[in-house]
Structures are given as structure tokens and as C-alpha cells.
Amino acid sequence: MNGPAAGGGRAVVRLRSAVAALVAAAALGLATGRFVLPPPSGATAHSAAHPDAAVGGAVPTPASSASGSASPAGATEPVTTANLLEPVAFRPEVATGRIHVTDRYGDGVYANAACTGEKTLTQTLGGPGAHFRGLTTSLRTDPDDPTWAADLVDQVAREVAAEAPSPSLAQNFTERLLLEQASCQEQPPGHWVYGRTTTLRFAPDITASWMGTYEGLLNTTGRAPEGEEPCGGIAVLRSGSHYGVLEVHACLGTAAMDRVVRTALSQL
């Protein structure tokens, strides 16, 4: 989500710094079972700042230029609630003490019905079920699905995560989920819309792609406006055989969305 570094000397320094960061992250991962994504290497991560993005609007970030043993390995064990995002990820924008966490396992809807269709994860991908986590600022939840707040204004985020039978199938699942969400990048003027796709790639099998949400008042052309900050968004995540969808309803801008998505990816 950042532009390329300018100047040969600075590029070398940044490359050395990136390698050092990845080695440290790998060492931490061996000790804790988790890894830490290096921070963005540019002044901004806003994909709308890249009008010449790749096909589909994807803007890859250079977060994973290291190779060999310095790169972390994707997850292979079954997904548990430990792989889901914690309230602390939304600090300081949302006070951690205000966020209530509700978990369930099974099937359910995972995307907005307005432009993707109200399908369940099983209807789209098959499989026995997934972990659903709702992060809300109210204890009042939907009686049919407690991971949804009764009032959407109280929803901070909602994450769905599961494991596929193989890493290659997990990649297939995330590509399909991302393609489906991309249909929300073009909507009639006045309808909320997703912005350009920004892709984080920490290792070949550890990636995340996210799109910011823009309210209908900002959609005057059928697409997200250039140069405006999003208000939350959606991310499709993959780590090895794990895959997931994270919907952020809190009104987070580019920098905060980048941070939260990176945290969710490192946790997955």
C-alpha cells in the first residue's frame, strides 16, 4: 500500500532494514507461534493514491521481499478462536474496554447483501463450518446470530475464519471471496462503495487484500472517490491453509485499516 522507494542508496538501506525486520519477525514467530508484519514502508498506504494500479485495482505492498528461512511459514493447524482478532487491535480508535466479543462456530452470512448477495460461507465454498467472531460495543445482539449487534452502529467488526484441506485450496477460496467482494467496487452513484484493492504480501502463502468503504454521499461517479479516506472496510485473509474475511464497521481511515488488517493477518 505504499509507493516504491526513491533513490538507489535509500533503496539499499530500506532493503537491509526490511530483511532485518523479517528475520526478527521470524525469530519472534518461532518463540510465540505468531509473527509480526513489518510496518508500511511509505508515507501512505492509501490505494486510491495509485491510479495506475494493477488489473482489478490491486496495489501490492513490498512487505515480503525477503526469502529463504527469514520468511514465516503459513498456518497448517486447525483454526481456533486464538486465530481471531482481539479488541486491542482497534485501540486507540475504539477503547478496548468498550468492545464485547462473541464467538460461535458454524455457518452464516459473511458479506453485505446489497451487492454480493446474502449467501453463507458454506453456500459459496462448501465445507463443514467456520469460526465467527463479533466485536461490538453493545451486549444487545441479533437473536439469530449473536456475532451481529442488534444495531449496526454498535458493530466494531466481524471476522469469519476457517481452514481449507490444503494451502492451494485456501488460496482458491480467498481468490473467489476477493473476486466476489470486488463487485462492490462499482455501484450506482449515491450507493456506498468499496475502494481500490490493496494487497499485503508477507510471504507467498501469507497475504491479505482489503478495500475501504465509502459512503454513498462520496460516490458521485459509480466508484470510490480518489483522495478521500475510507470509513472502515473489508479484508480477505490467507495464511497457509487458513482463510478468512474481516469486515470492519468502525469508521477507520487508511492507516488504521492497514494496521488492523496486518494484525489480523499475523494472528491468522
Side-chain angles (χ1 to χ4, degrees):
M1 289 180 289
N2 359 62
R10 280 178 287 176
V12 172
V13 172
R14 290 184 180 181
L15 178 58
R16 291 173 177 167
S17 298
V19 172
L22 286 168
V23 171
L28 179 61
L30 291 174
T32 65
R34 293 286 180 269
F35 61 88
V36 179
L37 287 174
S41 58
T44 178
H46 199 343
S47 57
H50 300 265
D52 298 321
V55 174
V59 181
T61 63
S64 61
S65 57
S67 59
S69 61
S71 295
T76 57
E77 70 282 356
V79 170
T80 70
T81 55
N83 297 113
L84 301 177
L85 203 59
E86 297 287 348
V88 69
F90 295 92
R91 194 172 59 192
E93 289 79 12
V94 183
T96 304
R98 294 181 56 214
I99 300 178
H100 306 281
V101 175
T102 304
D103 292 324
R104 72 174 181 83
Y105 181 84
D107 192 20
V109 296
Y110 59 93
N112 192 287
C115 59
T116 64
E118 194 175 56
K119 294 180 293 184
T120 70
L121 199 65
T122 298
Q123 286 173 333
T124 299
L125 302 177
H131 289 272
F132 288 72
R133 168 165 290 183
L135 299 104
T136 65
T137 57
S138 171
L139 292 174
R140 293 182 60 249
T141 58
D142 188 322
D144 295 325
D145 186 344
T147 63
W148 281 115
D151 298 314
L152 193 58
V153 69
D154 296 322
Q155 193 83 34
V156 176
R158 187 169 179 266
E159 186 175 11
V160 183
E163 71 274 359
S166 67
S168 60
L169 194 56
Q171 180 179 1
N172 175 272
F173 285 174
T174 55
E175 289 173 351
R176 289 162 61 185
L177 289 168
L178 184 61
L179 183 63
E180 184 176 64
Q181 299 305 322
S183 66
C184 301
Q185 291 175 315
E186 294 187 38
Q187 291 294 307
H191 190 284
W192 71 265
V193 67
Y194 285 144
R196 292 178 182 270
T197 305
T198 300
T199 298
L200 301 166
R201 191 178 305 279
F202 190 54
D205 62 347
I206 303 176
T207 64
S209 295
W210 69 271
M211 295 168 274
T213 301
Y214 294 82
E215 63 180 49
L217 290 176
L218 295 176
N219 175 15
T220 59
T221 64
R223 298 186 65 91
E226 299 288 350
E228 295 286 346
E229 283 291 297
C231 184
I234 192 165
V236 178
L237 315 166
R238 183 210 167 197
S239 175
S241 59
H242 292 188
Y243 64 96
V245 178
L246 172 66
E247 296 176 85
V248 177
H249 295 266
C251 195
L252 304 187
T254 300
M257 276 295 299
D258 177 80
R259 186 194 71 237
V260 169
V261 172
R262 286 170 177 265
T263 301
L265 182 58
S266 68
Q267 194 73 16
L268 186 65

